[in-house]
Amino acid sequence: MSQLIRTAKSSSDWTMYDLDAYNISVVDQDATTFFECSELPLPAIPPEVLTAQHAYQAFDLTANELLCHMEHATLVVPEVKSTVDDFVVLLLRAIGHYTTHPKFFRTRKDIDYVICGEYKVAKPDVSIIQGSEILLVFQENKRHIDLMDPVPQLIAQAIAAFAANDYFFRSALGYRYSPLPSKVMPGFIMMGTSPVFYKVLVTRELATAVMCGLYPATPTIVYAHKPTFPNPREQGMMPLDNRRVILSCFEAFKIFVKSCDVFSSIKLHREP
């Protein structure tokens, strides 16, 4: 794999070839292992989201709006962009704690990063920001439009986010900043309303290898979890049983969306 040719490209152009070129593999995990909990927690969300089959049956405004967007996002029409991005923003806001102050959402944010010595752009469909630090990236599965595999795209976005965070901290703190050796960048992909969750452990070795176009000696393992539904023939969040499982996964996923908090570790000394 070290002989594979590495070229400068934006995240939207990454393929499985690039994962091999940077010694990256994806490993599936069950819910207990992935979320690091023995039992998935109940989702902190308006109750009607869990009980109303359709939007018109929900009287709570937050639940009604979320279910309306869910129904539209469920429809994956060839060559037509869906409303998945809008649905994801509403979903994470409704669950709570994903965007508690001072976190906020960005859609289609440009993340500049260096790959093979050239500046390129990563553009997650949705990201969560705190200050200028990127905490989570989301990529819609658009295979019904362009046939591109979203997994390499998401991983490229996670690597770019790590590099962008590092640049921000270094610019803000200067000599007082100790570069982060690694960080788990959480992200997920949605096809309609069916998610797959990812934990991308981005190390400084991997980030440097991408920047310089080199093959990292240490392999990177990205862990993934695709929720298991009570009825595997039913996909997405329209069935209530599926919806509860998916929302519980999102609830458990919160713990990985956290700031590096490097500013709190810096003690600033004033001259007497």
Side-chain angles (χ1 to χ4, degrees):
M1 297 299 181
S2 62
Q3 303 303 316
L4 294 177
I5 297 174
R6 284 163 281 279
T7 58
K9 54 178 65 176
S10 299
S11 67
S12 59
D13 295 323
W14 274 51
T15 66
M16 294 303 294
Y17 177 96
D18 298 286
L19 299 190
D20 290 337
Y22 291 108
N23 203 7
I24 301 171
S25 59
V26 179
V27 174
D28 293 328
Q29 291 184 323
D30 60 28
T32 299
T33 306
F34 183 87
F35 294 112
E36 301 174 12
C37 60
S38 58
E39 185 175 350
L40 288 175
L42 293 176
I45 201 163
E48 285 186 318
V49 176
L50 298 172
T51 59
Q53 179 70 60
H54 300 285
Y56 71 84
Q57 297 170 319
F59 297 96
D60 176 84
L61 292 180
T62 299
N64 179 272
E65 183 181 21
L66 179 62
L67 293 178
C68 281
H69 278 78
M70 180 193 71
E71 290 172 358
H72 283 280
T74 300
L75 302 175
V76 179
V77 181
E79 300 181 2
V80 175
K81 290 186 177 181
S82 70
T83 61
V84 172
D85 294 357
D86 295 333
F87 171 64
V88 165
V89 171
L90 288 175
L91 173 63
L92 297 183
R93 183 176 289 132
I95 293 175
H97 298 295
Y98 276 97
T99 53
T100 52
H101 180 77
K103 303 186 190 79
F104 61 95
F105 290 111
R106 284 290 305 276
T107 55
R108 306 296 293 165
K109 172 181 170 59
D110 286 346
I111 306 174
D112 294 324
Y113 74 114
V114 178
I115 175 171
C116 298
E118 297 182 26
Y119 277 101
K120 293 294 181 180
V121 174
K123 186 175 288 190
D125 288 324
V126 178
S127 53
I128 292 179
I129 313 291
Q130 179 171 313
S132 293
E133 182 185 1
I134 303 161
L135 306 182
L136 173 144
V137 291
F138 159 74
Q139 175 67 34
E140 181 187 354
N141 187 334
K142 303 184 181 76
R143 278 185 164 173
H144 60 292
I145 298 175
D146 57 20
L147 300 180
M148 291 293 290
D149 188 338
V151 177
Q153 298 178 36
L154 182 82
I155 293 173
Q157 293 163 12
I159 296 169
F162 177 90
N165 291 344
D166 184 67
Y167 177 80
F168 162 66
F169 291 133
R170 189 168 63 251
S171 300
L173 298 172
Y175 72 91
R176 293 166 296 178
Y177 172 55
S178 297
L180 296 171
S182 64
K183 185 183 189 300
V184 173
M185 293 298 304
F188 64 99
I189 293 169
M190 295 269 274
M191 168 64 89
T193 57
S194 294
V196 182
F197 300 89
Y198 295 86
K199 294 188 297 187
V200 185
L201 176 60
V202 184
T203 62
R204 184 155 298 279
E205 179 188 4
L206 174 61
T208 301
V210 170
M211 181 175 65
C212 299
L214 302 174
Y215 184 79
T218 305
T220 295
I221 299 177
V222 175
Y223 293 107
H225 174 70
K226 183 176 182 179
T228 301
F229 301 134
N231 184 346
R233 290 178 297 178
E234 296 285 349
Q235 298 295 317
M237 295 177 64
M238 284 303 296
L240 291 177
D241 288 344
N242 290 5
R243 194 181 306 171
R244 182 175 294 273
V245 170
I246 291 173
L247 293 175
S248 291
C249 288
F250 274 107
E251 183 71 30
F253 201 50
K254 289 178 184 178
I255 64 170
F256 304 109
V257 184
K258 53 189 177 182
S259 170
C260 292
D261 204 20
V262 298
F263 287 95
S264 66
S265 64
I266 303 296
K267 294 183 178 180
L268 301 180
H269 299 281
R270 294 182 179 180
E271 294 293 333

